[in-house]
Amino acid sequence: MNKSSRFISLSGLSGVLAGIYAIIGATVAYWLVEGYSDGTLILEGKTYGLVLLDLALIAFLSIVTAVVLTTKKAKKQDEKVWDNTSKRLVVNFLIPLLTGGIYILIVLNQQKYGLTAALMLIFYGLALINASKYSIGNIRYLGFIQTILGLICALFPDYGFWIWVLGFGVMHIIYGLWMHIKFDTNY
C-alpha cells in the first residue's frame, strides 16, 4: 500500500504524552483507592466514580493531544489530516474499542471487576491492530504488545493495575519516543 492510501503517522510526542497522562492518572487512582477505600474499589462508592473520571480524563487528554499534535505535524508536512483514509482509520479503530468498552461496562455492571485491566489492554490492542492498515506509523506493533500484556494480565489479575500502567503508560512512552525519533526528527 502506498502513502496515498494510508494516513500519516501520528505524532510520536502524542504517544509520549499519552503515556505520561496514563502514569499520572494511575498515580491518582492508586492514591484514591489506597487512601480512601482501604484498597478496595466499591462500584457504588464515591471513589469508584472518581477513578472513572480519572480514566475519562486520561482518555480525553490523550485524544486531544493526539489530534492537536498530529494536525500540527500534518500542516508542517503539507498533508491533509481528515480525508477518506483517516476516516477509515478512525472507524476501524473505534469498532473494537467501543465494543470492548461496552463489554467492560457490562462486566462491571455484573460486579465482575477482576479482569477490567486485562480487557482494556486487549481491546485497545485489537483496535490498534485493526486500524494499523490505514497508518504509515507502526501502531500494529504497539497493538500486539498491548494485546499480549492484556493476556498476561488475565493470567495474573492481582497484578492488573501494574500491567495496565506498563501497557498504557510505559509502552506508550517507549513507542512514542521511537516514533518521534523515526518519523518526527530529521536524523
Side-chain angles (χ1 to χ4, degrees), residues 54-79:
D54 183 39
L55 284 169
L57 284 172
I58 294 167
F60 176 77
L61 288 173
S62 296
I63 291 166
V64 168
T65 301
V67 169
V68 168
L69 292 179
T70 300
T71 301
K72 185 178 176 181
K73 179 181 174 183
K75 285 181 182 178
K76 185 178 178 181
Q77 296 175 344
D78 198 31
E79 293 185 13

Side-chain angles (χ1 to χ4, degrees), residues 34-138:
E34 290 297 318
Y36 290 101
S37 64
D38 298 324
T40 304
L41 190 58
I42 301 169
L43 183 61
E44 290 78 86
K46 178 182 175 184
T47 305
Y48 178 78
L50 290 172
V51 169
L52 285 181
L53 177 62
D54 183 39
L55 284 169
L57 284 172
I58 294 167
F60 176 77
L61 288 173
S62 296
I63 291 166
V64 168
T65 301
V67 169
V68 168
L69 292 179
T70 300
T71 301
K72 185 178 176 181
K73 179 181 174 183
K75 285 181 182 178
K76 185 178 178 181
Q77 296 175 344
D78 198 31
E79 293 185 13
K80 293 173 88 177
V81 175
W82 196 245
D83 59 10
N84 287 334
T85 304
S86 58
K87 290 175 189 174
R88 284 192 296 268
L89 180 137
V90 170
V91 167
N92 279 275
F93 178 75
L94 288 178
I95 290 171
L97 191 71
L98 292 177
T99 302
I102 292 167
Y103 180 69
I104 290 167
L105 291 175
I106 290 168
V107 169
L108 287 174
N109 191 43
Q110 296 171 352
Q111 298 181 348
K112 298 175 184 173
Y113 314 115
L115 294 178
T116 305
L119 292 170
M120 287 179 174
L121 288 162
I122 290 168
F123 280 105
Y124 177 63
L126 293 174
L128 291 172
I129 294 166
N130 200 45
S132 68
K133 59 186 160 248
Y134 298 105
S135 177
I136 292 172
N138 297 312

Side-chain angles (χ1 to χ4, degrees), residues 21-41 47-48 50-52 54-55 58 158-165:
Y21 300 152
I23 291 172
I24 291 169
T27 303
V28 169
Y30 186 85
W31 177 75
L32 286 169
V33 172
E34 290 297 318
Y36 290 101
S37 64
D38 298 324
T40 304
L41 190 58
T47 305
Y48 178 78
L50 290 172
V51 169
L52 285 181
D54 183 39
L55 284 169
I58 294 167
D158 289 345
Y159 298 99
F161 175 81
W162 300 109
I163 297 171
W164 187 96
V165 170

